[in-house]
Amino acid sequence: MGCQTTLIEQSFTADTSWHTTTLDNGLILHIKEVPGQTVSTRFLVRTGSRDEADDQKGYAHFLEHMAFNGTEAFPKNDIVALFGEEGVAFGQHLNAFTTHANTVYQVDLPSDDKLTNALTWFREIATSLSLDPEEVSRERGVVLGEMRLRSQTIGNLDFELYRLIAEQLYGIKGDIIGNEDSIQNISEQRLRDFYQTHYTPNRSEIFIAGDIDSTSVITEVNTIFGQWFAPENGSPINNISPLKRSKSTVLGGINGSFPSTTILLDLGPNTMVSAADFEDFAAANILTDAISTRLNDRARDLNIPIQNTYAELIQWFERVVMRVHISYEAQNQQTAMQFLAKELATLRDHGLSSLEVDAQASAFLKLESNFADNYTARNYADDHVFFRMIGRQTLSPETYKSLSEALVYRADKTWFNKRLTSLLESNDVQTVVAIDHLYFFTEARQEQLAFVSDMESTFKLSGKALILPEVLSDFPQPGDSGEIVSIEELDPNTSKWQLNNGVVVYLRSMPNAGDEVHVYAGSKGGLAALSPSLRPAGDLIAGAYAESGLGGFSSNDYNRLMLKENAFLEPIVWEHLHGFHGKSTKASLPLVLASIYQAFSTQHSMTRCFLVTKSNLSRAIGSISNP
């Protein structure tokens, strides 16, 4: 045990329901049989804007467009018409996209009847694009129009951050679709050079999921693609670099959003081939959500003048990047940045409380345990393509569930806080400050870098210890139980219970709902019961509830408790009814009912009507029966 370096002892492999084979020419084929499902196909070529020479900007994306404008077997737009006859809609079922590193073509079919056509088109894309000069000229106008439309996103913070990350990872500058000069003056020969160099079998993968027979599909793919060979001058796939360490960037001209500060942390690749990989993945998810929740809780507690703050994982690249973000009005910038530095220092030095860890670990477990529920063949195909693009091994839903359960069972507050400290002490960090488009950029840059320096200096100081609850007693329950005085069967699935205190309960059984329970609890009255001068106060109820605690808990502690127990409660205010909507599992239903009791217990006695769905509530009714 003393030598154990990981919590998870379970070994695992890739999702074995995906059958993967490599043809002699290097083409990789992935097949997943999903009985009774439609058929989804994908063609991945590992080339994108990072492979373009200086005189080929936007050519990878342009080739994606040209795949719909003619091949030897499908001239001009024939492919769109061919699949359209089968109900395959262009844009929804027939589409493609290009990234910095990959190009993906998509065909979703109603059955396997036209699978041969889809595979034939993929082969035509790979080897036989016509690149007709007339079609190239026509498509030039289409791409320039897309460029003008895309220009509306230039200055959008998310767009600029993703472009900044891609620039550092791939060593490229500019947009995926190129620039107006490169497209306006596109060279047909250089376009063909890019095509022949980078569309090769050793860069390509095919994905097929649905109601198919793997053996016959492998035979067909071999027949269609077996004679496709890579040219001698084929280009190798480029490697990526990590984000630049300790780098500060000031983005000017940001439109449509408040000024902001973003911290980017490079968490490295996540190949998902070992227990350590899964622990990195799980810890990153749980700690990101915990940081986001803590920042929001503290900003609310301290009444910090900010617009928004959150943390998220960016996983569209081969490296995982954590983004910690705070936005503010310009006059509050220093206050907001100092708040962010102090709170992150506190997290680094004192960690999370047990309740914070338990709440986020519980939410993660619920999410991963439900992974791929009700998935279609299209979902499976999209997921597998995405994971291959970012370099992550695809795991089965069952594996995700068992690994998640093992980690949450074994990991404790100490384990998570050790990870958190290591994360926040990392040097793989850079700060991005986005300023309003009205500021003169040259003059503002030095001021912004000074703000960043002050924030970093504050972060280096010891964080302030907070008084956070480590152990919470059971949520207060009513001391007495009501008595059911009558039961009326309204239909085979619905019963009406009358309690001796005037409460009416409607119980509706919905077997297909599984473990999920919904509760609606309302008192007659609503907005109609208010005088005209007080009706606007109804708009304040949701916000007031969010800031209020229940059962002696603060709002933050109560929300953590509900998250930990996979439960949820929100106020509802209708014209003639006011009350609450709750959502829970069967196990956490008593907590929701007790919460409703706590919320109602301060009101005057009145007739109350409860609509409860999908559960056996006999053991929980006492929680609401005697307000």
Side-chain angles (χ1 to χ4, degrees), residues 33-34 38 106 166 184 195 346 436 445 448 450 470 472 611:
E33 296 183 3
V34 190
T38 57
Q106 161 199 340
Q184 189 70 53
Y195 175 49
T346 291
D436 191 276
R445 186 173 186 276
Q448 296 300 317
E470 285 298 317
L472 291 175
L611 171 61

Side-chain angles (χ1 to χ4, degrees), residues 19-80:
H19 179 83
T20 299
T21 185
T22 303
L23 275 61
D24 292 341
N25 59 8
L27 173 69
I28 301 175
L29 172 63
H30 309 271
I31 302 174
K32 181 180 179 69
E33 296 183 3
V34 190
Q37 288 275 334
T38 57
V39 177
S40 286
T41 65
R42 303 289 184 270
F43 180 42
L44 166 67
V45 185
R46 293 189 176 277
T47 189
S49 59
R50 70 172 174 180
D51 298 313
E52 297 165 348
D54 290 340
D55 63 344
Q56 293 176 320
K57 296 302 181 184
Y59 281 25
H61 172 257
F62 200 93
L63 278 176
E64 172 218 311
H65 276 239
M66 292 305 298
F68 298 90
N69 288 322
T71 67
E72 290 182 5
F74 305 105
K76 296 187 181 297
N77 296 118
D78 284 4
I79 193 66
V80 177

Side-chain angles (χ1 to χ4, degrees), residues 7-8 10 365 401-411:
L7 295 176
I8 300 175
Q10 173 183 349
L365 181 59
K401 181 177 181 180
S402 62
L403 290 173
S404 300
E405 290 175 343
L407 180 110
V408 171
Y409 175 75
R410 293 174 179 272

Side-chain angles (χ1 to χ4, degrees), residues 472 475-476 549-555 557-558 598:
L472 291 175
F475 193 84
L550 286 174
F553 288 40
S554 71
S555 61
D557 291 342
Y558 174 73
Q598 288 287 328

Side-chain angles (χ1 to χ4, degrees), residues 156-166 251 260 262 264 310 312 314 317 323 325 432:
N156 174 275
L157 178 60
D158 290 338
F159 182 88
E160 296 298 334
L161 282 174
Y162 273 61
R163 186 156 67 174
L164 177 68
I165 293 171
L251 297 176
S260 63
T262 298
L264 300 175
Y310 59 85
E312 65 172 354
I314 299 174
F317 304 98
R323 172 187 181 183
H325 175 84
V432 180

